[in-house]
Amino acid sequence: MIVFEDVSKQYPNGFMGLKHVNLTIDQGEFVAIIGLSGAGKSTLIRTINRMHDITGGKLTVDDVDVMTLHGQKLRAFRRKIGMIFQSFNLITRTTVIKNVLTAFVPDMPWWRATFGVFTREEKMKALEALDKVGILDKAYVRADQLSGGQQQRVALARTLAQNPQIILADEPVASLDPVTAKQVMDDFARINQEMKITVLINIHHVDLALQYARRVIGIRGGEVIYDGPADQVDQEVLDKIYQRDGEEAAEE
């Protein structure tokens, strides 16, 4: 369970990325976060794994106050949370399976990490993760020979290999064509349903958000404007979420 209690985030330049956010997200939910660029979508999900520190309120994940975590405890906490980015973040000059195997590096002895020595069990887990996203046949292909959609699936497989309880996705389909974007969203939906992994997706495509998520959180100016079922998001709700309020948007 993820709980935001009166959470705020103020950046060094004084900009408020989040303002008094109160949310509870249960394990196994599929949540889409929508809003204008700079509204606070990326800030919201990046506070969950401490990529951004909150500056007010309290944020807990499974009853753990994330702001109390440091060093090894913070690294162990982050292992439970997978992060998917728009840019894939792959090592393009190596094979797909080697990209997935990097999920195990943080837990490996330094000498194995340095020389890229992986166990049979780790390799099997990597192959299983690729199978779950439908690209097992690409395991020994170089990552830079894949399409954008396939590369995003490699990134998702890498995340699955670390056996996360939560997946945070920051605009995972923004750079993909409509057909490929739908295929990747299908993967997220299947993983959420079959593996009961909590999925939070920051997404610009409102149609995909409403089609796939069961719950939608709408943010404007760092504040939660809507939090409820996807099937209750109507034009009036969208108008409130996407209404510009004159406040300068921050880069997310």
Side-chain angles (χ1 to χ4, degrees):
M1 180 183 290
I2 303 166
V3 181
F4 289 78
E5 298 178 73
D6 198 34
V7 168
S8 294
K9 166 62 178 176
Q10 184 174 19
Y11 288 98
N13 65 0
F15 180 81
M16 294 297 295
L18 296 176
K19 302 174 185 176
H20 307 293
V21 172
N22 290 282
L23 294 169
T24 298
I25 299 166
D26 292 323
Q27 182 63 34
E29 284 200 79
F30 192 127
V31 183
I33 304 166
I34 63 174
L36 291 167
S37 295
K41 304 187 303 298
S42 291
T43 302
L44 181 75
I45 66 172
R46 293 180 185 215
T47 59
I48 295 171
N49 64 353
R50 281 281 301 276
M51 286 185 72
H52 292 335
D53 288 343
I54 64 173
T55 53
K58 185 177 182 181
L59 172 56
T60 58
V61 178
D62 293 336
D63 296 323
V64 175
D65 184 341
V66 300
M67 291 301 295
T68 65
L69 300 174
H70 303 281
Q72 186 175 353
K73 289 184 178 180
L74 178 58
R75 289 191 293 273
F77 167 76
R78 285 174 170 163
R79 296 289 292 150
K80 300 177 182 179
I81 303 175
M83 188 80 187
I84 306 290
F85 298 92
Q86 177 182 343
S87 57
F88 317 139
N89 287 359
L90 301 181
I91 306 170
T92 56
R93 290 182 174 271
T94 193
T95 61
V96 164
I97 189 170
K98 286 185 178 179
N99 272 278
V100 179
L101 285 167
T102 61
F104 303 114
V105 169
D107 297 326
M108 289 165 51
W110 69 267
W111 64 269
R112 284 214 290 129
T114 300
F115 295 104
V117 179
F118 298 94
T119 65
R120 176 179 174 80
E121 181 182 3
E122 288 164 346
K123 291 176 182 177
M124 290 303 297
K125 286 181 178 179
L127 292 172
E128 288 171 5
L130 288 169
D131 192 32
K132 287 174 182 176
V133 296
I135 54 170
L136 179 59
D137 60 320
K138 304 294 185 183
Y140 297 98
V141 175
R142 270 182 37 151
D144 58 6
Q145 296 178 9
L146 303 182
S147 67
Q150 290 170 332
Q151 290 190 46
Q152 190 59 287
R153 284 174 161 176
V154 175
L156 181 53
R158 180 181 56 197
T159 294
L160 290 178
Q162 72 185 65
N163 193 29
Q165 297 175 4
I166 300 167
I167 292 178
L168 308 175
D170 196 359
E171 297 291 353
V173 298
S175 61
L176 306 179
D177 64 81
V179 173
T180 306
K182 188 178 185 304
Q183 292 171 344
V184 172
M185 291 297 291
D186 285 341
D187 290 332
F188 280 113
R190 186 178 66 257
I191 288 163
N192 168 255
Q193 293 166 11
E194 295 178 359
M195 302 178 69
K196 308 305 179 186
I197 296 174
T198 304
V199 176
L200 279 75
I201 293 186
N202 161 14
I203 188 167
H204 274 300
H205 301 279
V206 175
D207 55 335
L208 292 178
L210 300 185
Q211 180 180 350
Y212 286 93
R214 292 186 290 276
R215 175 181 175 186
V216 169
I217 295 172
I219 297 181
R220 180 167 62 89
E223 298 180 288
V224 174
I225 301 299
Y226 176 83
D227 178 15
D231 59 10
Q232 293 183 20
V233 176
D234 55 20
Q235 190 58 51
E236 182 179 356
V237 169
L238 293 176
D239 287 344
K240 290 180 180 178
I241 296 170
Y242 289 95
Q243 175 186 347
R244 293 189 178 276
D245 57 10
E247 186 172 1
E248 185 179 354
E251 292 186 5
E252 295 199 68

